[in-house]
């Protein structure tokens, strides 16, 4: 057996999407020895990710933000419009980043730039971060360490495994952690648009009877679109030719951005929500979509994943500084307790908001309208909502 195969890493990160890449960087910077296990994929991804304030700050501290910032569009205003035809309609509300002392709430970044920037930062870590471009084929979670077998026949040993391998996580399954999941009668049509009018750095979310219709700025004359519809309607829209689809989307957006032109392939994603029953198990912690998922409302998904990583890195720094065991029972319990409340509140909060959009019950409509009116006219409540939406700052101390 080689010396490399005999080595016991502090951490093995399984999965090299944005969450896995970020976790590997953060944990190396926390002073741990890390192996990142996942194939290197070159698939083009036309989607975008809205990074809110604390997430941008966190990525900047890791050195990754400067590698993607040139491709990022600022989100200076968040606008909510009730586009329903219901009896009780909510008022239009616009939140401005300047109200909470920021230039922007965050930035919208193409996923290719996000993943590319993170991959460059992984490469910069050199020998400090062992890259294993292979699939995990088996894992044994022992009392003292985890042993991972890869598709290249390698054996990776680690004191802690970070599951960043997505919704169908094999690490989560091996740890015996069950998933609570549910589906919605909705599908998201996702694509990018060019438009004749300016977006003025404003993200606009129309609330409709079938879900949000959201336009998020890219560069000066482009925006990304998430249109949540009934599955059959989303499929019908996706099948239209470019000219017909652009006309329909312009109608739905009330020509807010002028004339529209389709600027990317279309993708349809069935809407669902899920949460792992526990966020950690023997020698395993879950981050990102191995732990939680929900509809794309309020730009919360990847921002929640980054808070998973920030808390994990913070715990790692503290345990390493005290000489305590990485990946042991106390470490696992600390991660579980640190993430449980934040994850549950976001998953079930977004679920409640999404279901409220679909509900025809008058009391539900009234509560939504009252809540948004309060956000419009009560400055303290407005600022509370904006700061909560920005996300808690990552608490890493390295």
């Amino acid at each position: 057996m080689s010396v490399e195969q005999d080595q016991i890493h502090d951490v093995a990160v399984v999965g090299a999407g944005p969450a896995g890449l970020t976790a590997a960087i953060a944990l190396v910077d926390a002073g741990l020895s890390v192996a990142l296990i996942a194939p290197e994929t070159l698939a083009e991804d036309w989607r975008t990710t809205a990074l809110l304030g604390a997430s941008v700050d966190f990525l900047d501290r890791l050195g990754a933000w400067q590698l993607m910032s040139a491709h990022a569009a600022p989100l200076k205003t968040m606008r909510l419009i009730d586009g329903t035809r219901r009896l009780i309609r909510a008022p239009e509300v616009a939140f401005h980043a300047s109200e909470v002392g920021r230039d922007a709430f965050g930035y919208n970044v193409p996923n290719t730039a996000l993943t590319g920037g993170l991959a460059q930062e992984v490469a910069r870590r050199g020998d400090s971060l062992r890259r294993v471009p292979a699939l995990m084929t088996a894992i044994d979670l022992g009392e003292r360490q985890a042993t991972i077998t890869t598709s290249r026949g390698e054996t990776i040993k680690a004191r802690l495994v970070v599951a960043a391998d997505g919704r169908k996580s094999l690490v989560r399954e091996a740890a015996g952690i069950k998933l609570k999941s549910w589906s919605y009668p909705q599908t998201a049509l996702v694509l990018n648009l060019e438009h004749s009018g300016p977006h003025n750095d404003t993200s606009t979310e129309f609330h409709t009877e079938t879900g949000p219709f959201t336009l998020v700025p890219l560069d000066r004359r482009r925006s990304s679109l998430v249109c949540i519809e009934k599955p059959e309607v989303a499929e019908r829209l996706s099948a239209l030719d470019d000219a017909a689809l652009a006309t329909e989307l312009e109608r739905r957006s009330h020509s807010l951005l002028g004339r529209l032109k389709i600027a990317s392939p279309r993708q349809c994603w069935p809407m669902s929500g899920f949460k792992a029953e526990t966020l950690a198990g023997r020698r395993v912690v879950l981050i990102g979509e191995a732990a939680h998922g929900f509809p794309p409302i309020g730009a919360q998904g990847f921002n929640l994943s980054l808070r998973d990583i920030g808390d994990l890195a913070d715990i790692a720094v503290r345990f390493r500084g005290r000489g305590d065991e990485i990946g042991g029972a106390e470490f696992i319990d600390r991660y579980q307790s640190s993430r449980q409340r934040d994850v549950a509140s976001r998953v079930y909060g977004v679920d409640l908001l999404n279901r409220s959009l679909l509900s025809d019950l008058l009391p539900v409509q009234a509560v939504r309208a009252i809540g948004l009116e309060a956000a419009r006219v009560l400055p303290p409540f407005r600022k509370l909502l904006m700061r909560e939406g920005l996300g808690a700052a990552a608490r890493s101390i390295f």
Side-chain angles (χ1 to χ4, degrees), residues 11-332:
V11 182
V13 178
V14 179
L21 293 168
T22 306
I25 296 165
L27 292 169
V28 164
D29 288 2
L32 304 185
S33 59
V34 178
L36 175 60
I37 304 168
E40 295 184 18
T41 58
L42 299 175
E44 192 164 23
D45 188 345
W46 292 90
R47 294 172 297 169
T48 66
T49 296
L51 297 169
L52 299 180
S55 297
V56 173
D57 296 342
F58 183 46
L59 291 173
D60 190 38
R61 288 199 294 276
L62 296 179
W65 176 243
Q66 63 185 344
L67 299 173
M68 60 187 78
S69 59
H71 306 280
L75 307 176
K76 296 184 177 181
T77 300
M78 301 288 195
R79 186 180 181 191
L80 304 179
I81 300 174
D82 190 333
T84 69
R85 298 181 180 87
R86 289 171 174 154
L87 180 62
I88 302 176
R89 300 181 65 214
E92 179 179 327
V93 182
F95 300 97
H96 306 284
S98 58
E99 296 179 71
V100 287
R102 297 189 70 105
D103 292 332
F105 287 114
Y107 295 82
N108 194 31
V109 182
N111 280 8
T112 50
L114 173 65
T115 304
L118 290 167
Q120 287 182 60
E121 201 60 34
V122 164
R124 281 187 182 185
R125 296 305 186 275
D127 293 338
S128 299
L129 200 169
R130 181 183 172 192
R131 187 73 168 86
V132 183
L135 290 168
M136 184 192 81
T137 56
I139 181 170
D140 176 44
L141 300 172
E143 289 286 347
R144 303 295 300 173
Q145 67 183 38
T147 303
I148 296 171
T149 304
T150 77
S151 56
R152 301 200 314 184
E154 295 172 279
T155 298
I156 312 296
K157 297 179 181 179
R159 295 177 179 86
L160 174 70
V161 178
V162 176
D165 51 343
R167 297 184 179 216
K168 298 180 180 179
S169 171
L170 296 178
V171 176
R172 185 186 65 229
E173 183 179 332
I177 300 173
K178 295 182 179 179
L179 197 67
K180 180 181 180 182
S181 61
W182 54 93
S183 60
Y184 302 98
Q186 298 166 297
T187 292
L189 171 64
V190 181
L191 52 88
N192 296 334
L193 296 165
E194 294 177 1
H195 40 82
S196 61
H199 51 55
N200 297 317
D201 302 323
T202 298
S203 176
T204 302
E205 186 169 286
F206 292 91
H207 290 171
T208 78
E209 290 90 342
T210 57
F213 178 97
T214 307
L215 295 159
V216 188
L218 287 169
D219 48 33
R220 193 167 65 91
R221 297 285 180 173
R222 294 197 313 137
S223 294
S224 60
L225 168 74
V226 178
C227 172
I228 299 182
E229 257 292 358
K230 296 177 180 178
E232 62 274 16
V233 176
E235 293 294 339
R236 178 177 60 78
L237 290 173
S238 183
L240 295 175
D241 63 39
D242 282 359
L245 179 58
T247 299
E248 174 60 16
L249 296 177
E250 185 179 331
R251 182 190 70 79
R252 290 179 178 231
S253 66
H254 303 276
S255 299
L256 183 70
L257 298 176
R259 296 294 302 273
L260 301 182
K261 180 179 178 181
I262 307 302
S264 76
R266 309 95 180 270
Q267 294 175 298
C268 286
W269 299 88
M271 290 293 92
S272 63
F274 60 91
K275 177 184 174 297
E277 290 187 353
T278 180
L279 301 175
R282 179 193 288 179
R283 297 284 161 187
V284 168
V285 296
L286 311 182
I287 66 169
E289 291 196 344
H292 45 70
F294 40 79
I297 297 175
Q300 294 299 313
F302 186 56
N303 295 282
L304 182 61
S305 301
L306 290 178
R307 293 203 297 279
D308 294 341
I309 297 163
D311 278 6
L312 176 61
D314 182 58
I315 293 166
V317 167
R318 294 179 186 278
F319 270 64
R320 180 176 176 271
R322 297 196 305 256
D324 292 341
E325 183 185 11
I326 301 296
E330 184 182 352
F331 187 102
I332 295 299

